[in-house]
Amino acid sequence: MKRRTPSGHLVDILAVLLLITLFAAASLTVVLLGAGVYKKTVSDMNDNFTTRTALAYLTQMIRSNDRNGNTEVLRDQNTDGLKLTASYDGDSYNIYIYVKDQSLMELTQKSSLAFNPENGRKIMDIRDLSVSEDKDDLIHIRVTGSDGETEEVSVSERSTS
Amino acid sequence: MKIRHSGSSLLMIELLFALLFFSLASGITIRLFVKASLLSSETVAANKAVVLAESIEEEFRNSDVSAGNIYYDKKWTKTNTSDGASYQVSIRITEVEDPTCTVSVTRLSDKSTILTLSSLKHERRKVS
């Protein structure tokens, strides 16, 4: 019977080590690939959530209160937003949607009361909101999400005054 | 005759089997990752397309929109020409009975249509 030389053992050990290294490198590559895909998906989902949710919320608020062309652009000292008018039980209310301290806020109060941004209720985190209305009564809304992603939408009022 | 294997040879055979199984499993996993990444990109494109098409439709309802093509790059920034563009937004206006605006968003790389949206122009009226 042939006896194995010490160099033969060394080759065996090196081959095993090489296989283990290959295995470790391949595992790491797969894990990194997975992490990259997961990171991208989460980032896309966050972008989608912050900007599109805010846009959908603003659009739906305009739609649900679309009576007699009562949607106005809110221009306050440091606040840009929307001012909607609604009527409940014969009383007239103003709904203000604006940005304060990087948060989208909503405030519903009687029309007779003065607007105070401090009284609003926080809806969600956003960085910036810009609202403008052109000569055709088309409302342009631009939302910058908390991650810096900007999305823009135009909304037309169905009703007229 | 008995064949004797050294301990390291057995370990190597075991490792080779592990590597074989691992390559099969990672092949399937990588395919899943690629599919997930593609789906995520398609979702982003579909969301952008919906927002864009809806905005054009809203503009059409309130004012006049001219028919034609608008081009966007892969980051959805408007470009002046089709050179280097990744997406094309086609606006078609038909006035057979009622004025209708049809907006189609196409991915230029494979000419696939992401979204087609049609809307009629309605007269704005007072709602009490």
Side-chain angles (χ1 to χ4, degrees), chain A residues 73-133:
Chain A
V73 175
L74 173 69
R75 293 265 178 256
D76 195 61
Q77 277 181 325
N78 300 312
T79 315
D80 208 2
L82 279 172
K83 181 187 166 191
L84 311 161
T85 312
S87 184
Y88 302 107
D89 293 332
D91 290 324
S92 177
Y93 289 85
N94 285 341
I95 303 165
Y96 300 94
I97 305 167
Y98 54 96
V99 166
K100 187 181 174 291
D101 299 332
Q102 301 210 336
S103 294
L104 185 66
M105 309 283 280
E106 185 188 315
L107 171 65
T108 305
Q109 62 181 21
K110 281 197 170 177
S111 303
S112 52
L113 298 170
F115 170 63
N116 182 0
E118 300 293 331
N119 297 337
R121 185 167 49 97
K122 183 181 168 179
I123 305 294
M124 64 183 295
D125 289 329
I126 59 166
R127 195 177 287 177
D128 192 32
L129 169 71
S130 156
V131 185
S132 60
E133 191 169 9

Side-chain angles (χ1 to χ4, degrees), chain B residues 85-86 107-112:
Chain B
S86 297
R107 187 184 291 105
L108 291 171
S109 58
D110 55 0
K111 302 275 177 205
S112 61

Side-chain angles (χ1 to χ4, degrees), chain A residues 12-29:
Chain A
D12 279 355
I13 291 164
L14 279 176
V16 169
L17 278 175
L18 186 76
L19 274 178
I20 291 172
T21 316
L22 195 72
F23 189 85
S27 316
L28 192 71
T29 313

Side-chain angles (χ1 to χ4, degrees), chain A residues 44 63 67-68 136 156 159, chain B residues 40 47 58 62 124 127-128:
Chain A
D44 288 346
R63 290 273 173 273
R67 285 169 192 275
N68 306 326
D136 298 312
S156 66
S159 71
Chain B
S40 177
N47 284 330
E58 292 286 310
N62 255 36
R124 287 179 68 190
V127 182
S128 55

